[in-house]
């Protein structure tokens, strides 16, 4: 036994005493320089294992909740919601396709693949639809932008039953009627009606035919139109700029493949034709003339055959030994090319448009 000091009054007491006899302060048992204060029965200490176990349980539960939230977020992000949601989106896309709502279909397909991945139930089916739709849409946008009959016909050959079948047929109808208007003959309008019996412009085409039938063409007018056309091709064959300019209107819409040409464009075409120094002779044959009333002004549409003969050398004059008068030397036989032509002349007998196509050699 040894003596220790009371922590409260400083009185010396036995180290075995439970409390100070002087002041009654609990003393406890000394451990080194520290004392353990006696505890009441059942009261846990700060480092008691039961409390540590409770804290650990709370931590584990918290981590489990965070993990479950992460799994749910991953599932929603990569799967895009429930199977019921995906089915609803799929049904909407099928509805857009069946009702031919192509703009909505494109947007819905984009949204679907932004939301769902390959685990989705309808992913494979809609992936095939998506690839087919956007490939055809790109082809249609290219064809539609060209505003060409050939481009639209090619599109229909590639996609005969595609998404844009209706749009392509409407474009074909419209462009075919425009082509008939450019020729502006009974035959051209009848050809349009034959191709598009239920077309958008059938009524207008029939009205144009009736108007053409009501315009009478005199014998003198026919002769004048044929003469004007022959003079033009004589000037073209002779490479005569002055003469050919006299046969052309000031507002030419097209000339042998050139839209809205300038006079210099036609001169360049003619000069190129004669670049080798060859002599060319044109013969206009079988001209069929239609008189057209264009807002009170007469226009003349001519369908004709054109023969082009290229000589191997320039003709020159020789002296006829019997008569003593000049005579043209015999022209060497040359190749003859044939063309189908359509020309439009105004009321002053000036050419406003000219189209030539190579005729069949059959």
């Amino acid at each position: 036994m040894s003596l220790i000091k009371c922590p409260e009054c400083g009185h010396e007491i036995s180290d075995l005493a439970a409390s100070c006899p002087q002041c009654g302060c609990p003393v406890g048992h000394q451990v080194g320089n520290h004392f353990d204060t006696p505890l009441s029965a059942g009261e846990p200490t700060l480092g008691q294992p039961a409390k540590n176990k409770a804290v650990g349980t709370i931590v584990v539960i918290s981590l489990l909740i965070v993990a479950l939230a992460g799994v749910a977020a991953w599932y929603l992000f990569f799967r895009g919601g429930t199977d019921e949601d995906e089915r609803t989106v799929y049904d909407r896309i099928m509805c857009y396709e069946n009702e031919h709502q192509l703009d909505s279909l494109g947007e819905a397909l984009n949204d679907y693949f932004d939301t769902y991945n390959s685990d989705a139930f309808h992913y494979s089916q809609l992936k095939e639809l998506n690839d087919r739709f956007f490939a055809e849409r790109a082809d249609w946008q290219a064809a539609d932008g060209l505003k060409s009959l050939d481009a639209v016909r090619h599109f229909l050959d590639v996609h005969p039953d595609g998404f844009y079948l209706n749009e392509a047929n409407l474009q074909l109808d419209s462009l075919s009627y425009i082509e008939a208007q450019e020729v502006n003959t009974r035959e051209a309008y009848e050809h349009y009606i034959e191709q598009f019996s239920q077309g958008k412009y059938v009524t207008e085409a029939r009205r144009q035919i009736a108007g053409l039938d009501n315009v009478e063409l005199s014998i003198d007018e026919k002769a004048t139109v044929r003469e004007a056309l022959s003079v033009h091709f004589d000037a073209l064959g002779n490479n005569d700029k002055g003469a050919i300019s006299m046969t052309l209107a000031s507002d030419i819409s097209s000339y042998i493949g050139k839209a809205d040409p300038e006079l210099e464009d036609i001169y360049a075409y003619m000069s190129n034709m004669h670049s080798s120094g060859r002599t060319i002779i044109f013969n206009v044959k079988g001209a069929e003339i239609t008189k057209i009333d264009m807002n009170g002004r007469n226009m003349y549409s001519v369908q004709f055959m054109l023969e082009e003969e290229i000589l191997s050398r320039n003709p020159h004059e020789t002296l006829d030994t019997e008569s003593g008068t000049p005579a043209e030397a015999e022209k060497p036989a040359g190749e003859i090319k044939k063309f189908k032509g359509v020309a439009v002349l105004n009321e002053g007998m000036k050419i406003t448009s000219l189209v030539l196509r190579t005729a069949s050699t059959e």
Side-chain angles (χ1 to χ4, degrees):
M1 180 188 73
S2 61
L3 296 177
I4 60 174
K5 288 184 178 184
C6 173
E8 181 66 25
C9 64
H11 184 77
E12 289 186 348
I13 60 175
S14 171
D15 62 351
L16 298 178
S19 61
C20 177
Q22 184 71 24
C23 65
C25 175
V27 176
H29 302 283
Q30 182 179 15
V31 181
N33 294 325
H34 302 279
F35 296 91
D36 290 333
T37 303
L39 302 174
S40 62
E43 182 178 356
T45 63
L46 292 176
Q48 188 173 358
K51 186 171 183 180
N52 290 339
K53 184 177 180 180
V55 172
T57 301
I58 294 172
V59 172
V60 170
I61 293 174
S62 299
L63 292 175
L64 182 60
I65 292 172
V66 172
L68 289 174
V71 171
W74 178 91
Y75 182 84
L76 291 173
F77 179 80
F78 288 101
R79 285 293 303 270
T82 65
D83 290 339
E84 183 179 352
D85 292 337
E86 195 264 355
R87 175 71 191 194
T88 300
V89 174
Y90 167 80
D91 290 341
R92 186 183 303 120
I93 290 173
M94 292 297 98
C95 180
Y96 289 149
E97 181 186 13
N98 293 334
E99 295 180 359
H100 203 69
Q101 299 182 43
L102 299 183
D103 289 340
S104 297
L105 175 61
E107 293 175 2
L109 285 169
N110 285 329
D111 289 343
Y112 179 90
F113 290 103
D114 285 343
T115 305
Y116 298 95
N117 69 354
S118 58
D119 290 337
F121 186 78
H122 297 94
Y123 184 90
S124 298
Q125 181 180 352
L126 293 183
K127 182 66 167 63
E128 180 182 352
L129 174 64
N130 181 80
D131 294 346
R132 183 162 49 91
F133 172 75
F134 283 104
E136 183 180 330
R137 186 169 77 168
D139 288 348
W140 171 241
Q141 289 173 343
D144 184 45
L146 291 174
K147 304 300 181 187
S148 161
L149 277 171
D150 288 340
V152 176
R153 288 178 181 133
H154 176 71
F155 173 83
L156 288 171
D157 288 341
V158 177
H159 306 284
D161 299 309
F163 298 97
Y164 290 90
L165 177 63
N166 293 340
E167 287 80 355
N169 282 329
L170 289 173
Q171 184 78 290
L172 194 66
D173 181 359
S174 178
L175 292 174
S176 296
Y177 182 69
I178 291 173
E179 185 179 61
Q181 282 184 307
E182 290 176 349
V183 178
N184 201 38
T185 64
R186 164 182 271 276
E187 291 76 12
Y189 290 119
E190 287 177 343
H191 181 63
Y192 164 78
I193 294 171
E194 182 181 351
Q195 285 185 302
F196 302 92
S197 60
Q198 303 298 319
K200 183 178 180 180
Y201 305 97
V202 167
T203 300
E204 178 63 20
R206 290 192 174 121
R207 191 185 71 79
Q208 293 290 348
I209 291 173
L212 292 172
D213 289 342
N214 292 332
V215 178
E216 296 183 358
L217 184 65
S218 69
I219 296 176
D220 288 342
E221 284 177 313
K222 290 181 179 179
T224 304
V225 171
R226 290 192 180 100
E227 176 65 18
L229 206 55
S230 294
V231 169
H232 174 80
F233 283 107
D234 285 345
L236 187 64
N238 293 328
N239 196 19
D240 189 336
K241 293 182 179 179
I244 203 169
S245 66
M246 299 296 292
T247 68
L248 300 170
S250 59
D251 54 342
I252 306 173
S253 60
S254 64
Y255 188 87
I256 312 182
K258 176 72 174 179
D260 300 319
E262 300 290 339
L263 196 56
E264 292 300 325
D265 295 325
I266 298 174
Y267 290 161
Y269 171 82
M270 183 170 62
S271 297
N272 184 62
M273 181 187 299
H274 292 273
S275 60
S276 63
R278 59 190 176 179
T279 299
I280 303 173
I281 295 177
F282 290 105
N283 292 311
V284 178
K285 297 186 175 182
E288 296 182 4
I289 307 168
T290 303
K291 187 176 180 179
I292 309 163
D293 184 357
M294 296 289 289
N295 300 321
R297 299 178 60 186
N298 291 329
M299 303 288 287
Y300 303 89
S301 176
V302 190
Q303 297 187 55
F304 59 95
M305 294 296 297
L306 182 69
E307 291 184 350
E308 176 192 51
E309 182 179 1
I310 301 175
L311 305 181
S312 59
R313 60 184 177 85
N314 292 326
H316 60 275
E317 290 186 342
T318 60
L319 187 64
D320 188 318
T321 56
E322 293 185 1
S323 64
T325 58
E328 190 176 78
E330 182 180 356
K331 299 173 184 177
E335 179 185 4
I336 296 179
K337 295 181 180 179
K338 295 184 178 182
F339 302 88
K340 289 182 179 180
V342 178
V344 177
L345 286 73
N346 61 21
E347 59 187 354
M349 298 301 167
K350 307 293 185 181
I351 294 174
T352 63
S353 72
L354 178 63
V355 176
L356 290 179
R357 294 186 176 90
T358 302
S360 174
T361 57
E362 296 179 0

